[in-house]
Amino acid sequence: MSDPVRDPDPCACTRRSVLIRGTLTIGAAALGCAGRGESAKEVPSEGGAVVLPLAEHPALANAGGSEVIRADGKGKPILVRNDGDAGITALSLKCTHMGCAVRVDEGGALACPCHGSRYAADGSVTKGPAKEPLTRLPATLGGDAITVQIG
Ligand code: FES
């Protein structure tokens, strides 16, 4: 067995750490990992949707712009991206492996700190252990605001 002290581990939610802790359940470990290091912008929701006025979210006004939000400050963050002619993309950043919060690096890469899964910009899996893509949320640009359906 490898040495858990020396192994690089950006998140203490690996299977190894779960085994070491012994008494933790996998679910509790995943919850403990959620949101670590995230800098999502908290936005209010109403009626199962969040509305993002472009005046308040200028990064989303132009093609290629993106922002990470968290509805009502709860749950996993959501990546919202303006893909220009392709429309608006909204991806839940809840890793489909065990539910940790997937991080977005400066280059736009999507990586889970818990067990190393990686996702492409469209949410598809590029590296496991995750097998399923990130969940796409319906999102539209209308007038001067983006609406994302979250529930
Ligand atoms: Fe395991 Fe994301 S929770 S790779």
Side-chain angles (χ1 to χ4, degrees):
M1 186 170 162
S2 63
D3 181 354
V5 175
R6 292 185 180 180
D7 289 348
D9 182 4
C11 175
C13 296
T14 63
R15 277 177 255 167
R16 184 181 315 116
S17 68
V18 171
L19 290 172
I20 291 168
R21 292 177 187 170
T23 56
L24 294 177
T25 64
I26 291 173
L31 284 173
C33 184
R36 181 180 269 194
E38 293 298 323
S39 57
K41 186 170 189 175
E42 184 176 337
V43 295
S45 71
E46 186 174 328
V50 295
V51 177
L52 308 170
L54 296 179
E56 297 173 26
H57 302 270
L60 296 172
N62 300 311
S66 66
E67 188 171 284
V68 177
I69 63 167
R70 188 186 307 267
D72 303 315
K74 301 182 291 191
K76 290 295 185 288
I78 298 166
L79 171 65
V80 182
R81 189 178 60 236
N82 183 336
D83 285 332
D85 292 341
I88 304 298
T89 297
L91 296 172
S92 167
L93 293 178
K94 179 179 180 179
C95 182
T96 60
H97 178 229
M98 291 176 64
C100 288
V102 171
R103 294 181 179 166
V104 184
D105 73 17
E106 290 180 15
L110 304 172
C112 181
C114 291
H115 310 106
S117 289
R118 298 183 71 81
Y119 300 88
D122 66 356
S124 60
V125 176
T126 59
K127 178 180 178 290
K131 292 180 171 44
E132 300 297 322
L134 295 175
T135 300
R136 291 182 75 101
L137 303 172
T140 56
L141 172 61
D144 58 357
I146 290 171
T147 300
V148 180
Q149 303 295 325
I150 60 168

